[in-house]
Amino acid sequence: MSGTTTAGDRLRKAADDANRWVVLVVLCLSLLVVALDATVLHVAVPAVTEDLRPSGTALLWIVDAYPLVCASLLILFGTLGDRVGRRRVLLLGYALFGVASALAATADTPAVLIAARALLGVGGAMIMPATLSILRQVFPDRRERALAIGVWTAVAAVGAATGPVVGGFLVEHFWWGSVFLINIPLMAVILPLGRWLLPESRGGDDGPWDVLGALTAAAGVLGVVLGVKHLGGGAGLLDPVSLGPLALGLALLVLFVRRQRRRTHPLIDVSMFARPAFSTAVGCIVLAMLALVGLQLIAVQYLQLVLGLSPLETGLRLLPLTFAAMAAGATGSHTLRRVGPRRMVGWGFVLTASSVLLLTSMGQHDRPVLLTCAFVLLGFGLQTTLFGAYESMLSDAPPERAGGAAAIGETSYQLGAGLGIALLGSVMNAAYAPGLASLREKGVPARAGAEASHSLGEAYQVAAQLGGPMGDLLRSTARHAFIGGLHITLYVSAGLLLLGALAALRLPGAMDCPPKEHRRRSEAGAAVSAACAPAAADRPAAECGVPDHLAADTVRPAPRPMPAARREPAEATGSGRAAH
């Protein structure tokens, strides 16, 4: 108990003075590294395709193995941090991230690169849970927390958006493996910095660690996405190759939910999804990240393979998205107070859908003004949506359930990124391949047409091997098929975003900010509940590691009873983490 008490004292000290802003900087640096690695490879995809010659499916796994593995293991490592210390798991994640980066940079086969990307996902899963959990602890006041979340989401967007710029510069001046080597010096700086500045913390739940439940959730997520990938590749819904993983994944996820409902100490308190604002915010995060990462990957391929831009030029073209996201994050707290979560998230989705529809005007010729306007709207709209969704999710969850809420939010973020690549990439592949069906009738060898149908980059390679008029025909046909598939993918994405706008109607209409005194007493009550088991509720608060000034506030009678949802014992509140 002494370790938990010491961690609580350190976190409360950080929340009571300017140290909390220093902690926020460190957390944002951690998030920046993880978000950067999710997209830094995108502009290197053509170079990886040329060097390693992966199949279309292998190429998709190279790109999305990282976010999918990370999403699958967030719950496992988040709960492990509750038991052994979140900072300890975070620092181990830094070390693993550096080792995996070195392995990815030296990969000489698609299988090795996929394995390295998966290992990076493991490191990312160890890193990410610390960010929102500590943020929720050191910023208990909702107004300050809204500002902190604005910075946090802006850094996430900046990392994802600047990944192509950094990657483009490195690919143009070095080789594709250099996009991973940059992680090593970053880890060398952030590892001692985090060890020195970040407070250690543990959850208040002493229940058993449900490793089996965490593995069940991970396998379920991977099964569902694998089925989606095969469906997008042309397999029918009743094909065992797609139906098997889909059915197995869904069954495992159902078993996971049922297991969590039965357990006294669940990994995730699934009853939080009964709260409309919470479940809606989680769904909005998934949809927003699905659109951002999936569309970004497709846009990179369009800029490089259709318009012929260099990797660095491609990254620079995406900079307006970054600047717009930064502007939305900087003004998000003010916007949320003025318009409320419902309108902020809803109109963010509408703005994003409008930008996606604007991108359907893209063709074979470069239109830089149109692309810039679309990327500005896309970045501002998505950042606005993510800000409002994250803030609503964390604020709707009771303080004693903040750990489970943060774990769900982080998983939604990474799962949305992985599903965006899998779903939109699969839609793109399914729409692209039929456009090459006419090549055989025009004299192109069947084998060449089959290889070209995997991806536009592979089609260019086959066209170069054929040469002459036949190669030009293949290249032109593949380019037209890609643009047609791109437009279909954009329409699908816009439809999903408009569904998100409709879902946002379930969010609260206004930002509810209770008085600071009431909030302080509520947080103090949560601290006592987490520290003292219900069976020993009559113990002095000081014996539970709660400072006297907080205990004094806690024992004062409330003017009216708290709602039942706020009076549940700490052991029934999910992982029991103060934050994830």
Side-chain angles (χ1 to χ4, degrees), residues 75-76 79 83 208-215 256 260 263 265-269 403-404 407 574-577:
I75 294 174
L76 189 151
T79 54
R83 271 61 178 187
W209 183 33
D210 187 13
V211 181
L212 179 60
L215 294 177
F256 171 75
Q260 299 310 299
R263 292 183 63 85
H265 304 278
L267 288 172
I268 294 296
D269 185 3
S575 64
R577 292 186 287 170

Side-chain angles (χ1 to χ4, degrees), residues 186-199:
L186 288 175
M187 289 297 103
V189 172
I190 210 170
L191 183 59
L193 193 63
R195 187 175 184 275
W196 178 43
L197 292 175
L198 290 178

Side-chain angles (χ1 to χ4, degrees), residues 525-551:
V528 173
S529 298
C532 295
D538 57 345
R539 293 164 54 196
E543 295 182 13
C544 305
V546 181
D548 293 337
H549 71 283
L550 290 180

Side-chain angles (χ1 to χ4, degrees), residues 10-62:
R10 294 182 66 180
L11 281 175
R12 281 188 290 273
K13 182 180 184 301
D16 290 339
D17 55 35
N19 286 347
R20 63 187 182 274
W21 299 106
V22 179
V23 170
L24 177 63
V25 171
V26 177
L27 296 179
C28 288
L29 287 175
S30 304
L31 179 65
L32 181 64
V33 174
V34 177
L36 185 72
D37 215 67
T39 58
V40 71
L41 184 63
H42 289 179
V43 294
V45 165
V48 171
T49 302
E50 182 178 355
D51 188 19
L52 302 183
R53 294 187 174 275
S55 65
T57 301
L59 184 61
L60 279 176
W61 275 112
I62 287 174

Side-chain angles (χ1 to χ4, degrees), residues 87 117 123 161 390 396 431 491:
R87 186 184 67 162
R117 290 280 288 171
Y390 264 111
D396 187 68
Y491 285 125

Side-chain angles (χ1 to χ4, degrees), residues 86 122 157 178 196 218 226 229 303 345 384 407 432 453 464 469 523 539 553 568:
R86 300 183 185 106
V122 177
S178 61
W196 178 43
L226 184 60
K229 284 170 137 324
L303 293 173
V345 175
T384 298
Y432 163 74
S453 65
E523 296 285 344
R539 293 164 54 196
D553 283 338
E568 297 180 7

